[in-house]
Amino acid sequence: MKKRFALIMAGFMLVSGLAGCTGGETNADGNEEVRSDGAEKLVIGFSQDKNDIDWTQSMKEDIQATCEENDVELTITDANGSGEKAASDIEDLITLGVDAIIVQTYHADTIANAVQDAVDAGIPVIALSSEIPGANVTSLITVDATETGRMMGEYVQNKFPDGAYIVQLTGKEGSLVNVNRGVGFHEIIDANTKFTVLSELSCNYERSKAMTAMEDQLQAHGDKIQVVYCHNDDMALGAIQAIESMGYTADIDHGICVVSAADGMIPEVLDNVENGKMVSGYFPTFGKEGVENALKAIRGEAVEAKILVPSEVITTENVDHYRR
């Protein structure tokens, strides 16, 4: 049986760097743990690209919690930002014989063959956030990132009807979601000649890189900057830190307006929204939905090929609705 094989492979898991986070392990006599109803536990593998920002950390926590609620064993891999390691991790999960695989990636092209190998092996694959071109995944659960970009562009256009000078801070290179957040934003902004994008800088979704980039932009452009469009909250927080440390004001009405495309989930961000320093686009973790649809697929139930989770702008008016 595949789970018995998974136990035999436990030593291999440690060598290959798999981090098992389970809802149940083997019992004292070495036999595989079973559910309270006597059935063997299902095993879901979660291939995560990198657990380095608030959104990915929250995703992992939501997946763990949902697996525990459903009495499902969970095996987690962390590729530490390497597409090649993520592909290898997925192949390892196939070898371990997990019942389903949930995938979060910034390297869709690099892992596509490994994902297709899982599908070909009869393992349901649920992709979270980013589509994986070249792989026929069971289901993609995401937000329309291009529409999110348009939504934030429309917010800026409405806030600054006379135009504005904009600095744009983008996320991880190779991420389709990152690209589309920029595409949608530019569809709106570039159609209005009153707007000027002073610079577009990649900050890898990281707060420290965004802070440094924003300091450089303030030194170069000073009072000219009116809007900072960030592709996620961590970069927005770094931008706010730089703005304030250099004597400027982060304020959507009376200073530099900081606009984040995502994620809208941690208290620090929501506090800044409430205080009028920024707005954020809500971007769910998809963790709960990922596990629930993986379980449906395992049971042979119909699963939608693409599930779009709604998003909206988090402002001072609706911020309390998003506090976890």
Side-chain angles (χ1 to χ4, degrees):
M1 293 174 10
K2 61 184 176 183
K3 292 180 192 170
R4 177 65 60 192
F5 180 67
L7 290 174
I8 294 172
M9 295 292 292
F12 173 74
M13 286 172 60
L14 295 174
V15 172
S16 63
L18 296 179
C21 298
T22 66
E25 300 177 358
T26 55
N27 58 27
D29 60 5
N31 294 322
E32 189 170 346
E33 186 168 331
V34 296
R35 295 159 52 98
S36 57
D37 61 6
E40 287 185 5
K41 285 194 174 184
L42 296 174
V43 182
I44 291 177
F46 174 38
S47 169
Q48 189 165 35
D49 186 280
K50 193 174 184 181
N51 189 36
D52 62 336
I53 57 176
D54 292 318
W55 178 70
T56 55
Q57 291 164 7
S58 295
M59 174 189 287
K60 176 181 174 181
E61 291 167 2
D62 287 348
I63 289 174
Q64 288 173 316
T66 309
C67 282
E68 289 175 4
E69 289 170 6
N70 288 276
D71 203 12
V72 171
E73 186 174 343
L74 177 65
T75 296
I76 299 174
T77 69
D78 184 343
N80 198 31
S82 166
E84 290 75 15
K85 184 176 186 304
S88 176
D89 287 344
I90 292 167
E91 295 290 355
D92 288 344
L93 291 171
I94 297 169
T95 302
L96 290 170
V98 297
D99 294 290
I101 298 175
I102 297 172
V103 177
Q104 175 266 321
T105 186
Y106 297 114
H107 301 89
D109 292 341
T110 307
I111 70 168
N113 288 340
V115 169
Q116 189 60 46
D117 286 345
V119 173
D120 292 343
I123 300 173
V125 177
I126 309 297
L128 305 185
S129 181
S130 177
E131 61 182 305
I132 307 175
N136 186 26
V137 300
T138 307
S139 183
L140 167 65
I141 306 176
T142 188
V143 162
D144 186 334
T146 304
E147 181 58 31
T148 297
R150 292 190 196 103
M151 183 172 63
M152 306 320 289
E154 289 167 355
Y155 174 86
V156 171
Q157 184 169 253
N158 292 334
K159 178 66 74 172
F160 295 87
D162 296 325
Y165 288 98
I166 302 169
V167 169
Q168 182 174 350
L169 305 182
T170 68
K172 291 185 184 292
E173 298 291 340
S175 165
L176 296 177
V177 172
N178 173 58
V179 170
N180 289 335
R181 285 175 185 162
V183 168
F185 184 77
H186 278 282
E187 282 183 13
I188 303 301
I189 297 301
D190 293 353
N192 189 334
T193 58
K194 294 181 180 180
F195 290 95
T196 300
V197 178
L198 295 169
S199 56
E200 186 171 324
L201 306 168
S202 175
C203 297
N204 205 43
Y205 289 139
E206 296 178 25
R207 188 180 308 197
S208 60
K209 290 185 178 180
M211 181 178 177
T212 299
M214 195 65 219
E215 288 172 344
D216 292 343
Q217 291 305 299
L218 288 167
Q219 289 173 352
H221 301 292
D223 293 333
K224 200 171 187 179
I225 301 171
Q226 296 166 273
V227 177
V228 185
Y229 173 54
C230 306
H231 286 206
N232 82 331
D233 284 342
D234 278 283
M235 293 189 297
L237 292 172
I240 290 173
Q241 189 172 348
I243 290 166
E244 295 182 337
S245 69
M246 295 187 67
Y248 294 88
T249 301
D251 190 291
I252 60 173
D253 292 314
H254 306 293
I256 299 175
C257 178
V258 178
V259 177
S260 170
D263 307 298
M265 62 179 55
I266 65 170
E268 184 180 3
V269 169
L270 300 178
D271 289 345
N272 276 296
V273 171
E274 184 174 2
N275 293 332
K277 295 184 179 183
M278 64 178 287
V279 296
S280 179
Y282 174 63
F283 196 75
T285 70
F286 316 108
K288 179 178 175 64
E289 294 88 350
V291 173
E292 290 175 345
N293 281 276
L295 292 174
K296 284 183 180 180
I298 292 169
R299 293 192 293 260
E301 299 175 14
V303 177
E304 293 182 50
K306 187 172 185 178
I307 300 170
L308 289 177
V309 181
S311 180
E312 67 176 23
V313 182
I314 304 176
T315 66
T316 53
E317 288 76 19
N318 63 7
V319 62
D320 287 339
H321 175 72
Y322 291 93
R323 293 191 183 275
R324 293 163 69 95

